[in-house]
Amino acid sequence: MKKVILLSVAALAIISCNKETQTAEKTKTAYIDTSKLLEENKEAKDIEEKYKVKSEEMGRELRAEASQFENEAASFQQNAMAKGQAWAQAKGAELQKREQQLGMKQQAMMQTLQQESGKEMDSLVKRVKTYIKDYGKKNGYDYIYGTGDGAATVLYAKDAYDITATISKELNDKYKGPTANEEPKTEAKK
C-alpha cells in the first residue's frame, strides 16, 4: 500500500513538472535593445538636434560677450601703467567680476539646456515604455525584456526574440516630426 502511494505521489510530481514545462514553452517572450531603440528613434534625434541648435544660438551670444571681455582685458593690460595703480585696481576688480558673471552665465545656460532636454527625453522614454507595454499586450507577449547600456535585464537571448527593429520602425512611423506642432517658418513671416 505504501509503495502504491509513493508511486502515485511520484507520478503526480512528474505530471505537474511536465505541465510547468509545457506552460513555460508556451510563454511568449522578446527583448528590446533600449540603447539602439533610442539611437534610431526619429523623435529622439529631433530632440537632440533641437537642443544642439539652441545650444549653438546661446553659445554665439556668450562667445560675443567673451570676445568683448577679452578685448577689454587686453586693453586693461596696455592702459594699466599709463592710468595708474588706483585705476588698475578698480578696473581689475570690475574685469574679475565680469569674468565670474560670464562663467556663471555659461553654467546656467548649460544647466537650463540639460534640464529642458532631460524633460523632453524623459517624456519620450515614458511614451516609449507605454507603447512597448501596449505592443506586448496587443501581440500576446508574456514578457518583453530590456537590454542596453543602462541596467540590462537580459543576460542572454536568442536573436530571434529581438523585436527592437519592429518597435523602432513602428515608433518612427507613428512619429509626425516637429512640423506637426510648429508652424512652418515661411508662413510665420507673412
Side-chain angles (χ1 to χ4, degrees):
M1 183 73 169
K2 287 183 183 179
K3 288 182 183 181
V4 173
I5 294 174
L6 283 174
L7 285 174
S8 298
V9 170
L12 282 173
I14 290 171
I15 291 170
S16 63
C17 285
N18 281 344
K19 285 184 181 177
E20 289 179 53
T21 304
Q22 289 172 355
T23 304
E25 288 175 8
K26 292 179 184 178
T27 302
K28 188 173 180 181
T29 64
Y31 75 94
I32 296 171
D33 184 336
T34 54
S35 297
K36 186 176 177 182
L37 184 67
L38 286 176
E39 284 173 18
E40 295 174 353
N41 187 275
K42 291 177 185 176
E43 186 175 0
K45 289 177 182 177
D46 284 347
I47 291 170
E48 287 176 20
E49 183 62 28
K50 173 183 173 181
Y51 285 98
K52 181 180 177 184
V53 168
K54 201 170 187 178
S55 174
E56 289 171 1
E57 289 171 359
M58 294 173 95
R60 249 183 261 121
E61 180 184 321
L62 197 60
R63 281 191 298 277
E65 287 183 46
S67 178
Q68 183 181 359
F69 171 78
E70 288 172 5
N71 290 339
E72 286 184 38
S75 172
F76 165 77
Q77 290 176 348
Q78 292 172 351
N79 293 327
M81 295 296 260
K83 295 192 176 187
Q85 186 176 2
W87 179 88
Q89 285 179 339
K91 188 68 173 176
E94 177 190 327
L95 288 174
Q96 190 174 23
K97 183 178 178 182
R98 285 196 42 219
E99 184 178 27
Q100 288 174 343
Q101 288 172 339
L102 276 173
M104 290 186 321
K105 187 173 185 176
Q106 180 183 19
Q107 204 171 23
M109 179 192 79
M110 289 173 62
Q111 189 175 18
T112 299
L113 288 173
Q114 286 174 344
Q115 286 175 345
E116 289 176 6
S117 67
K119 283 180 184 177
E120 285 194 47
M121 287 303 287
D122 288 348
S123 178
L124 170 62
V125 167
K126 194 179 285 187
R127 287 191 309 278
V128 167
K129 285 181 179 179
T130 300
Y131 183 83
I132 292 169
K133 184 177 178 181
D134 293 343
Y135 179 90
K137 287 178 183 177
K138 182 176 89 177
N139 291 288
Y141 284 95
D142 295 301
Y143 300 99
I144 296 179
Y145 301 100
T147 184
D149 293 338
T153 56
V154 174
L155 298 176
Y156 170 77
K158 291 182 181 178
D159 289 339
Y161 296 129
D162 184 359
I163 60 170
T164 306
T166 303
I167 297 293
S168 181
K169 182 183 181 328
E170 288 187 16
L171 282 169
N172 285 334
D173 289 347
K174 185 179 173 184
Y175 177 61
K176 302 294 185 224
T179 54
N181 296 331
E182 300 172 2
E183 290 184 23
K185 291 181 181 179
T186 54
E187 290 181 17
K189 291 179 182 178
K190 291 181 180 178

